[in-house]
Amino acid sequence: MPVHSRPHLTTHNRSQGHSAVAAAAYRLGLRLLDRRTGTWHDYTARKAGEEIVAAMTVAPDGSPDWVEDPDELWNRVEESERRKDAQVARDYVVPVPLGLDDARATELARRLARYICEQLHTPVSIGIHRDADVDLMGNPKPPHQQGYHAHLLFPTRRILREGDSGTDDAGKQGFGAKLSVLSNRRTSAGIVEAMNREWSVLANELTAEAGLKADYDWRSYERLGIDRVPQPRLTRAQVALEKKGFFTRQGDLLRDIVVMSEVYKQAHDEVLLAQQEQARVDVRRECQPTGSAVPVESAADVAPEGEVVNTSLEVELAAARARGCRADAPLADRFVAHSPTPTDDDGRQTLFALSALVWSIQRALRTLGALMAQLVGHREQISRTSAADLEDAYQLDEARRHRGRADVRIETYAKEHKWTLLAARKIGRGERAMPRRLIELQHERDVQGRAVEDLKRVRKLNAETLAGLRAEEHELVEREERAQAKLASAVWEFRQRDERALPVLLEVLPSEQRQRMAVLVAADRVEPKPVAVPIQRPRLAFDVPRPRPG
């Protein structure tokens, strides 16, 4: 199961004292002057271990040249907003998978920024930061846990491309309409989901290229079916206090979780060591020859002449029978413990071969159960996404109707006041000479038009998300069919060896797996189609020959 941090999107709001210029200076490691307030923001000096690996800006095709200059870009962003509570920028913080080098970390951030740039038609400034060498609590991090994270900072407005024009303050600074789709929690969910999904695709692609484990997923623990509670988050102020040695309530809560996790890990390791030692004692006791005063120390004894001999089938089965009496014993050992004791060598060989097949059956059952659970969660997500898309379709229809009504009102007003409008055009003062009511109607029409465009973009992202989910569902179904075929093949081979052992196998199986096996057992006894992947078997000390027919 994937266990890692995920990207998150934050908004910089002027009412909270945020500045787009200050945000860019910090994330790019620059010294910038905020022309609106006259304040310098200098982040060129960085602490050792927290250096900025790379900084760049990507922009949509056809953007003006000044977009590539961070000083000009982010000062224009600040000057395009007049409200004192304006949202000035959004920061998409992306964790870079551990083990990736500078080049792959930069490629991940650049490709993800290009995706955002193309979807939202806005420039994106990238700052790739090396992680601090201490954690949130101020404790040193081991080297293998020190990596990178990337800040993808972008404005809250679309960029005007070459040939576009704007008459308001934002248009004069080179920016168009607000990205209002991200201001609403309902409409922003689909876009953020698509961004997180793209991050997981790129992360898995680059980690696989680097030879690392590619198990990154954009979904939460709950949606993945992982029974795990995420660690509580600390605010920036709480992190600063913790690093200075001041304890906070949220920090204490996080400390308790980390400490208890470490205690559990140590206790689990001690229990595991004790179980392994007990298993060795059991094997030595079962391998002890009757009437002998000398214990057998290993599975391979040294003969008087110094020649190494293999352990017999009887000793192997005795050791498995001893292990199978424990509550946490593997299924193959429990099967051996519950089976009748064979009286001849052929019976022992058959039982040993059956135990190897039981191991393959258990592995196939576990794989099949995990895939079925994953499919259920995946189909629930498809259902939720489809429901959200239906809601967005309804909202889109409503927005189109409102836009149509606004157009009708403008046309009606123009017919009723045609002489007033004609006089206004003769004066030639543009919007200032237009009647106030007409300006309000046009503004209403523009708002509804932007809502239509935003919802169309959301529905496009929903369609892409659903297409990806259905492709993954198809892949999961194919994997489930392969696992089912492996299980059927193993059960068929088990039956061929000894049909009478099936009740013992059903008895030792867990209840859920027993029900799944009962369906196969009740099915027609037809040899299944061969599978591409052979049945996996545990590594044994020697190869057990199959009994010859007849």
Side-chain angles (χ1 to χ4, degrees), residues 122-142:
T122 189
V124 182
S125 288
I126 308 167
I128 303 174
H129 296 198
R130 197 181 305 277
D131 289 341
D133 54 1
V134 295
D135 59 18
L136 298 180
M137 303 288 101
N139 302 317
K141 285 184 184 177

Side-chain angles (χ1 to χ4, degrees), residues 249-276:
R249 182 177 301 178
Q250 196 77 350
D252 290 340
L253 178 61
L254 180 58
R255 246 185 307 275
D256 290 343
I257 294 175
V258 173
V259 169
M260 290 307 298
S261 176
E262 188 63 28
V263 169
Y264 173 81
K265 180 178 180 299
Q266 293 179 4
H268 180 73
D269 291 344
E270 292 176 2
V271 170
L272 186 61
L273 290 174
Q275 290 176 350
Q276 291 173 349

Side-chain angles (χ1 to χ4, degrees), residues 194-223:
M195 290 162 58
N196 291 348
R197 178 186 174 88
E198 184 69 14
W199 163 80
S200 68
V201 170
L202 294 174
N204 287 325
E205 178 183 335
L206 292 171
T207 50
E209 288 179 2
L212 303 172
K213 188 176 182 180
D215 63 346
Y216 290 84
D217 200 292
W218 74 96
R219 292 166 291 183
S220 63
Y221 291 154
E222 181 180 359
R223 292 168 62 184

Side-chain angles (χ1 to χ4, degrees), residues 141-153:
K141 285 184 184 177
H144 67 278
Q145 291 184 359
Q146 297 178 22
Y148 310 95
H149 64 275
H151 291 271
L152 275 57
L153 189 72

